[in-house]
Amino acid sequence: MSAPLTEEDELAAAELALGLAGEAERQAGQARLHDDAGFADAYARWLGWAAGLFDGLAETPRPSLWRRIEASLPANDAAADMTSRLRRWQVASWVSGAVACVLAAVLVTQALPLAGPGPVAGALQAPMVALLSGADGVVSVSYDPATTRLTVVPDRLRTGGRTPELWVIPADGRPRALGVMPADTPGWMAAPPGAAKAMGAGVTIALSLEPAGGAPGDHPTGPVILSGRMGATA
Amino acid sequence: MGHDTATLSPRPLDDALRAVARGDRAAFEELYRLTSAQLFGVCLRILPARAEAEDVLQDAYLSIWRRAASFDAARGSAMAWLITLTRNRAIDRLRARGVARETADATGLVETVVDPAPLASDLIETGQAQGRLAECLDQLETGDAGLIRTAFFEGLSYAGLAERIETPLGTVKSRIRRALLKLRACLQ
């Protein structure tokens, strides 16, 4: 407990918490919260008491409201997380690029059969599939390197009215657009040549939400809501 | 993993909020599950039309999602933080509509309105003895309690109250300040 507040301070804290203060007092009070712990405690106490005025009024909202909230969640934190992961991949790309070169050299010289993620190098010819998952639905993406075609199947995908666009992110960390996809029906598309070259087992496939027609530039502009890793089927 | 441990923690909402601050959607869903009924009650108390209350509740949870990191457990309970944020969103909406005035016209002067609060016995536990304010308000003269409730539920400052009940600002202010001191004595 801090030093006891004067009556005037206590009243000021109560007025701030209950919203009684005028604008000038409110601003002064807000500023004071930062550097007067006793005042901040009193304010928190009054806020807690005031919150109790809503006791006994609980009422369950319609279940659909959660769907609405979830669908409208800006992917700020998640996207920031995703973005930072993308950046880490970018940073790591120099390293993994070097590793890939070494691996390629090893492969060439020793002809070892190597399973698992092999970034970019050694284009697999067998069809590949990625399952993209996240809070906003699931999308399965299969890719046939022979035809460079993608088949996409969205399941309960929530786009909030925006256009889902797929990206391939290989080891260099730079996303290449695979194209926009239907939000609620299966579909197929041809991977653009640059993106097709980047395809391979182990690459990341990400889905971002974009304006109609897809991202205007060559990188995602909206939140990345789903991602998954491309795996070989054979 | 915030939401997994949340149910075991003595302060599940604190844990959930911390996880939400890290962008944990599962924790956010858990937080919604734990708090949406209470926060919907807050919205409905201020905005009785359900559709509007739902809009505000959605708004409030988006704010919670964005601002979870600013919750400080040392500065009060998570529930109080959530309620305050939700109440502020609802008040914002109320002000945007300019409905406070219409309500005043419809219900007449606050002075004559019987305190509309539910009985304190109808409390749902929010972690601390918060419901005590309602009890203590019940011990005030009805007019004073009604004014304080009106200010809180309609987002009126002293000036707004004074205008509402057509009483000089100074009179309203000293009257409520006296009531606030009585409240504090009762609450402590």
Side-chain angles (χ1 to χ4, degrees):
Chain A
M1 266 314 207
S2 324
L5 291 181
T6 65
E7 198 164 83
E8 192 60 32
D9 289 339
E10 182 72 29
L11 283 170
E15 288 166 348
L16 187 63
L18 295 171
L20 289 160
E23 188 51 30
E25 292 88 349
R26 196 186 64 75
Q27 284 182 13
Q30 288 289 349
R32 197 173 164 192
L33 289 176
H34 293 291
D35 42 39
D36 184 339
F39 183 74
D41 283 348
Y43 170 75
R45 199 157 17 85
W46 278 100
L47 273 188
W49 287 330
L53 290 176
F54 292 105
D55 277 344
L57 302 175
E59 196 162 335
T60 308
R62 284 184 298 172
S64 60
L65 190 65
W66 167 248
R67 294 280 152 234
R68 250 168 69 189
I69 290 170
E70 206 185 12
S72 64
L73 269 195
N76 59 344
D77 306 56
D81 185 44
M82 181 62 71
T83 311
S84 70
R85 261 148 65 193
L86 290 184
R87 272 199 213 101
R88 256 180 275 135
W89 291 334
Q90 268 164 358
V91 170
S93 70
W94 294 102
V95 179
S96 58
V99 171
C101 287
V102 173
L103 277 179
V106 169
L107 283 173
V108 167
T109 53
Q110 304 197 359
L112 283 176
L114 188 71
V120 192
L124 289 162
Q125 288 306 300
M128 293 176 275
V129 65
L131 192 63
L132 318 187
S133 59
D136 291 310
V138 175
V139 172
S140 68
V141 177
S142 51
Y143 176 69
D144 181 358
T147 62
T148 69
R149 283 209 168 176
L150 291 151
T151 308
V152 294
V153 183
D155 182 19
R156 289 170 290 115
L157 182 60
R158 284 185 296 276
T159 61
R162 283 178 287 178
T163 300
E165 181 161 3
L166 290 172
W167 305 82
V168 52
I169 305 164
D172 68 5
R174 185 166 66 80
R176 276 86 158 169
L178 287 166
V180 299
M181 60 166 280
D184 48 13
T185 56
W188 61 267
M189 53 207 186
K197 278 203 201 86
M199 277 293 197
V203 299
T204 294
I205 306 293
L207 187 153
S208 70
L209 297 180
E210 301 295 341
D218 57 2
H219 57 271
T221 62
V224 172
I225 59 166
L226 305 178
S227 68
R229 189 163 284 238
M230 191 57 99
T233 55
Chain B
M1 304 296 118
H3 65 290
D4 289 332
T5 52
T7 45
L8 303 174
S9 160
R11 309 193 70 174
L13 296 182
D14 289 18
D15 293 347
L17 266 179
R18 269 192 288 273
V20 169
R22 295 191 300 266
D24 183 336
R25 285 178 180 239
F28 186 61
E29 185 164 2
E30 176 72 0
L31 183 75
Y32 182 86
R33 198 180 63 70
L34 292 171
T35 59
S36 55
Q38 201 138 11
L39 297 187
F40 191 43
V42 171
C43 296
L44 280 171
R45 176 66 183 79
I46 293 166
L47 300 157
R50 295 187 79 87
E52 196 171 24
E54 284 185 349
D55 283 351
V56 168
L57 188 63
Q58 177 173 1
D59 235 32
Y61 274 101
L62 291 181
S63 294
I64 292 164
W65 172 252
R66 288 197 198 94
R67 294 173 48 193
S70 67
F71 165 66
D72 178 359
R75 289 281 155 79
S77 76
M79 199 64 215
W81 186 83
L82 293 167
I83 287 174
T84 302
L85 184 150
T86 305
R87 179 243 175 209
N88 291 347
R89 300 317 301 239
I91 294 292
D92 286 347
R93 173 71 65 110
L94 191 64
R95 285 193 187 130
R97 280 196 332 197
V99 154
R101 189 152 308 282
E102 292 167 31
T103 313
D105 295 340
T107 57
L109 299 180
V110 178
E111 294 282 58
T112 61
V113 173
V114 175
D115 194 340
L119 291 175
S121 57
D122 196 21
L123 297 180
I124 288 183
E125 197 58 54
T126 54
Q128 296 167 355
Q130 290 167 352
R132 280 165 53 208
L133 181 56
E135 287 173 41
C136 290
L137 276 171
D138 289 343
Q139 293 173 22
L140 294 177
E141 289 151 52
T142 305
D144 291 351
L147 280 178
I148 290 171
R149 285 183 192 280
T150 300
F152 184 66
F153 290 132
E154 296 185 28
L156 295 180
S157 64
Y158 284 135
L161 278 179
E163 198 179 318
R164 175 74 67 85
I165 60 171
E166 296 172 356
T167 302
L169 176 58
T171 310
V172 171
K173 199 167 169 179
S174 55
R175 178 175 165 186
I176 291 190
R177 291 189 132 210
R178 270 198 308 277
L180 289 175
L181 290 176
K182 276 190 213 160
L183 279 181
R184 191 186 58 151
C186 169
L187 286 161
Q188 284 184 335

